[in-house]
Amino acid sequence: MPKPVPADKPEEGQEPGSTELSGLFVEKPPANISAVAGMDVTIIAKVDSTTLSRKPTMKWLKGKWLDLGSKAGKHVQFKETYDRDTKIYTYEMKLMKSVVGDSGGYRCEVTAKEKCDSSTFEISVEAAQQEAQADILSTFKRADGGEDDGNLDFSALLKAAKKKKVKEEPEIDVWELLKNAHPSEYEKIAFEYGITDLRGMLKRLKKMKVVEPKYSDAFLKRLDACYSVEKGRKIFLRCEVIDPDMQVKWLKNGQEIKPSAKYIMEANGNVRTLTISRATLADDAAYECVFGDDKCFTEVFVKEPPVTITKLMDDYHVVVGERVEFEIEVSEEGAHVMWFYEDTEILKDSKYRIKKDGKKHCLILQEATLNDIGMYHAWTNGGHTKGELEVEEKQLEVLQDIADLTVKATDQALFKCEVSDDKVTGKWFKDGVEVVPTDRIKMTHIGRFHRLVIDNVKPEDAGDYSFVPDGYALSISAKLNFLEIKVDYVPRQDPPKIHLDTTGNMVSQNTIIVVAGNKLRLDVEITGEPAPTVVWTKGDQQITSTEGRLRVEARKDLSCFVIEGAEREDEGNYTICVTNPAGEDKAMLFVKIVDVPDPPQNVKCLSVGEDCASMVWDVPVFDGGAPLKGYLMERKKKGSSRWTKLNFDVYESTSYEAKRMIEGVMYEMRVFAINSIGMSQPSHTSKPFMPIAPTSEPIRLSVHDVTDTTCTLKWLAPEKIGAGGLDGFVIEYCKDGDTEWVVANQELCERQGYVVRGLPVGEKINFRVVAVNIAGRSPPALLSQPVTIREIMEYPKIRLPRDLRTKYIRKVGEKINLTIPFQGKPRPVATWYKDGQPIDPTMISVRNSNVDTILFIRQAEREHSGTYELVLKIENMEDRASIVLRIVDIPGPPQNLKVTDVWGFNAALEWQPPKDDGNCEISGYTIQKADMKTKEWFTVYEHNRRPNCTSSELIMGNEYMFRVFSENLCGLSEEARVSKNTAVIAKTGLELKKISYKEKEISCVPKFTQPLIDRSVVAGYSTAITCSVKGYPKPKIVWMKNKMILGQDPKFLMRNYQGVLTLNIRKPGTFDAGKYTCMAVNELGKDEVECKLDVRIATDPDKL
């Protein structure tokens, strides 16, 4: 676990609120920051990374636990920069348009591998004062009514001064805050202070009572004050009672708990346990363990997992007046979701409607306006999502204009137009006067089509007609011409004549354009006497049908050609031929069918950026017979059904760059084609794509090593990686002066180092490294100058560790692992010698690498001692280093130990050093003595350095023998040398005068002073029963089970220590239960005690 770096104490004279150098921080935030509501507050902290092995991590916290990283958005913004020259990271937190609620204690924590540091600071946000300051003279008023009488009253001035004093806010207690708050403020407090289990806290708050602790002797160990458990887990409530036979009750919120599969109650000796399996929110309650009038209390808190958002919010792009419905899904039903517009909480009103349906939550705007543009947020206690709403002004487009009409008397006139919005209504005008519907004049509105039908046309119906949509400054006009027919009788014959009307749909003299799906009625006026015969043909096929979709109708002086619901196959050349006895006439017409275009083809994503994507597509296979005006694009998040428009104005190109997307989210896109007729069906959805930016360039690219054909490069990972992650690195090189870069690695390099091989000797080579992820290649990291490929000869040098420069001592049997680093180029040849001879590889192992050599002995022996020499050679250059290795062992015993002199109560000893000193210096001797009677050894001296000593305070009349142990670095010798002769301390003639006394009678009948106690034990766990007895002569002890004497059964172990009797029963079973009796017997009488032993089977609470 990282250890905190101690902060430096402030220097004398330095203000406590000023910035100071401390720990990892080069610059800390000021201790106190004051601001006025509405201002931006910026907090800056700087960290020095020169001593750090990796990039530090910064956290900004509010209060004790609220991580501000999850609140990042328009209100709280974070920024991080790095200065490569000074190697200082600068962290910045910015509160946009601060509010009074931002006041409080904050903390910033920086962590880097094994180090961490923190800094606390306070932010005070005051409400903006708008009241103008009153005239100070007005505060000096008279206490009585008049201006010139009474005493001056300064109370107003003093009150104003008191108001200006700002009290320091104490640390906020969330429990006290919830107690005093109105219930409508609970959710706001929970989000502000990061409370995840609000429901549990409110239940505890409701039941919370001040209970005076009641102390009793019934419980040895009471229940803990509270327990915490996650929902669905198991929890154990344990306490200890004095009496192992005590029966207790368990209560939940004052109601007794009955044993069940959920609640398991156990009694194991003095321990009482309540096990709650699979805790739910209903188990969040107060619990009691009761014995008589004695109770112990606790509370169980069940933690509900935080509510996460499983379906994110989509973006919307609508026009004014459309309905908007933001929809999300959460992980739990009945979860609380808070909606925000920018930084303002959204509540139910006439404008907004909030709907909940199980896990689905919706925010509904009935009619969007331009004021609703912005970012909408949804918050739960464990997640956050946002969606952007863009609203455009309504733009009405005329898809089909009104055509001028020329009709005859009693015919029908039909004006028809099509607009882009099917909800738009409008009015019809004739010569500026609104048309009123009658039995003859009818107006209809079906979808996007608006029609005006005039039956039985009269001369007064001629004029200018116009349609004006409601709410738009737009007018669609056409003219109605009345054709008056005059018939003059000509008694003679006239050849037939075709009179074509070139107005209306006739774009040229012989071409008629019809919109697919519309009706074409072509009335051709025919003259001639007698009445001519009319024949219509398409190509070589004659049209004779008078019914059906394609038909010919005959009227007086008219031939009507009708196409119902025009289709693309109806396009072609049509011929009308009229004949009578006076002659013949022909006319050719070309009917052109126009339609909406086909959908665009092959919509695909070419490239992506951090928040954008470049899209391309192919033009439609069929343009509908009319030139394409452009395209409309839509996008949506993958898995969503809500499409968002990307453009309202027609876009003419076949490539488009979609912007304002979220990095790391999968999107899909489709395209519509538009011509003068209308909009095509949508194209096939593009393959899902994800806006991802390439990483930044790798940093700190450097050359680690160079040989004649290789170059070793090292670098660090990019500072900015992004949602696309990092797949690996590509290393490229080129000769100095060339522009063609060669890829050195065929596969991506995942490490931050690479050896480029096969380089030409002596050439100057430039190197660069590129980071690659799913979004592509990053900018390259280049070396500042080219590298010359030539190995530099380096003299061999052995870097002998300091602890090996003197004698290296190890004990017999220990493992020896010596690592000797060295340097030199090209790679040196390392050789080991022992005492001038090459080492034996069967006894000693050696491993060599490019930078070190390792000598390894698995188990050291005395013969491994000696002088080891390491020889390092490069061609004719070499370096040598010697290591003296000594393997030591315990010494042998001293020699020739003898008592040289005895006087008084003293004895002088001498000996010689041992033959085997264990390969190291003898550090001392241990001398012991023993009385010849008892032969128990007692230490006289330890660590005696001389080969002689004097043993004093010997007891008169006793004979002593001595022994000596040798001692060195490994310890005492295994054997001791015993003295060849003994020391006898002679008596000096003193006589012992015995004091006469009267013997006391101490005989008594056996009597138990401590009886046996009934026991209840668990099978398989060893136990013991104990009692104590007195009596003289010493009584004989007999143990019995169920009045049967226990023999030499190894299951039972009987002990008697100074009258304390113990019977140990090894791993008892149920058959060992019964009555046990202890009987003490001597010649004066006997006594006995008995107890009951119960053995029960152990139960595993986890298997219940």
Side-chain angles (χ1 to χ4, degrees), residues 538-589:
K538 177 184 179 184
D540 298 333
Q541 184 179 1
Q542 183 176 346
I543 302 172
T544 59
S545 176
T546 58
E547 293 181 357
R549 192 179 64 84
L550 196 66
R551 64 183 181 271
V552 176
E553 298 177 358
R555 295 186 183 179
K556 185 179 180 181
D557 298 333
L558 286 177
S559 178
C560 300
F561 177 66
V562 180
I563 301 177
E564 294 280 356
E567 300 176 355
R568 293 184 185 178
E569 293 78 9
D570 297 331
E571 183 175 316
N573 291 313
Y574 291 82
T575 304
I576 178 174
C577 179
V578 294
T579 58
N580 70 358
E584 181 184 69
D585 192 9
K586 286 186 179 182
M588 184 176 290
L589 301 173

Side-chain angles (χ1 to χ4, degrees), residues 777-1043:
R777 294 162 57 98
S778 71
L782 294 166
L783 288 175
S784 58
Q785 59 186 5
V787 180
T788 303
I789 307 303
R790 179 178 290 112
E791 187 167 26
I792 302 173
M793 183 69 71
E794 186 176 352
Y795 193 85
K797 177 68 176 178
I798 300 174
R799 298 192 175 275
L800 194 65
R802 187 180 300 275
D803 59 336
L804 299 179
R805 296 177 185 176
T806 57
K807 287 183 180 179
Y808 189 71
I809 300 174
R810 283 292 180 269
K811 297 179 182 179
V812 170
E814 289 185 347
K815 181 172 64 176
I816 298 176
N817 191 350
L818 305 180
T819 302
I820 314 297
F822 56 76
Q823 63 186 31
K825 289 186 179 180
R827 177 178 175 176
V829 178
T831 308
W832 284 90
Y833 297 91
K834 178 188 176 186
D835 299 331
Q837 299 295 324
I839 63 173
D840 185 359
T842 60
M843 298 178 61
I844 303 173
S845 301
V846 174
R847 185 189 64 82
N848 298 327
S849 69
N850 292 336
V851 294
D852 60 16
T853 179
I854 298 176
L855 184 140
F856 179 74
I857 302 175
R858 187 173 300 277
Q859 192 170 5
E861 301 291 344
R862 291 276 289 273
E863 54 267 20
H864 290 143
S865 302
T867 301
Y868 290 80
E869 185 178 22
L870 172 62
V871 179
L872 201 64
K873 285 187 177 183
I874 301 177
E875 297 180 358
N876 58 348
M877 298 179 293
E878 70 175 30
D879 190 17
R880 295 173 178 265
S882 297
I883 301 171
V884 178
L885 179 62
R886 177 179 292 181
I887 308 300
V888 298
D889 199 359
I890 57 177
Q895 302 183 73
N896 301 326
L897 173 62
K898 60 184 177 180
V899 180
T900 58
D901 191 11
V902 178
W903 71 97
F905 303 100
N906 308 306
L909 306 175
E910 287 185 0
W911 61 87
Q912 294 179 358
K915 290 183 179 180
D916 181 12
D917 60 0
N919 205 20
C920 66
E921 181 183 0
I922 299 296
S923 60
Y925 301 93
T926 297
I927 300 95
Q928 295 181 345
K929 67 180 179 180
D931 186 359
M932 294 296 291
K933 296 178 181 179
T934 62
K935 294 188 178 181
E936 293 184 3
W937 292 98
F938 297 93
T939 301
V940 179
Y941 293 107
E942 288 183 331
H943 312 301
N944 185 66
R945 301 188 63 84
R946 296 181 180 180
N948 55 70
C949 72
T950 300
S951 177
S952 304
E953 299 181 358
L954 302 178
I955 298 174
M956 181 184 300
N958 289 350
E959 182 179 0
Y960 292 90
M961 60 180 177
F962 300 88
R963 68 181 183 185
V964 179
F965 292 90
S966 304
E967 184 179 5
N968 66 358
L969 181 64
C970 294
L972 295 175
S973 59
E974 292 182 352
E975 299 179 357
R977 182 66 65 186
V978 182
S979 60
K980 296 181 179 179
N981 53 351
T982 61
V984 179
I985 308 301
K987 296 183 179 180
T988 58
L990 298 177
E991 293 183 1
L992 176 64
K993 292 182 178 181
K994 295 184 179 181
I995 301 174
S996 60
Y997 63 92
K998 184 178 180 181
E999 293 185 0
K1000 184 180 179 181
E1001 179 63 36
I1002 61 174
S1003 300
C1004 69
V1005 178
K1007 183 176 180 58
F1008 285 93
T1009 59
Q1010 180 65 36
L1012 294 173
I1013 299 175
D1014 294 343
R1015 295 294 305 272
S1016 176
V1017 300
V1018 178
Y1021 292 87
S1022 298
T1023 186
I1025 54 178
T1026 305
C1027 60
S1028 61
V1029 68
K1030 68 178 181 178
Y1032 190 83
K1034 184 177 181 181
K1036 178 182 178 182
I1037 306 301
V1038 178
W1039 287 93
M1040 293 179 288
K1041 173 190 172 186
N1042 296 331
K1043 301 302 182 179

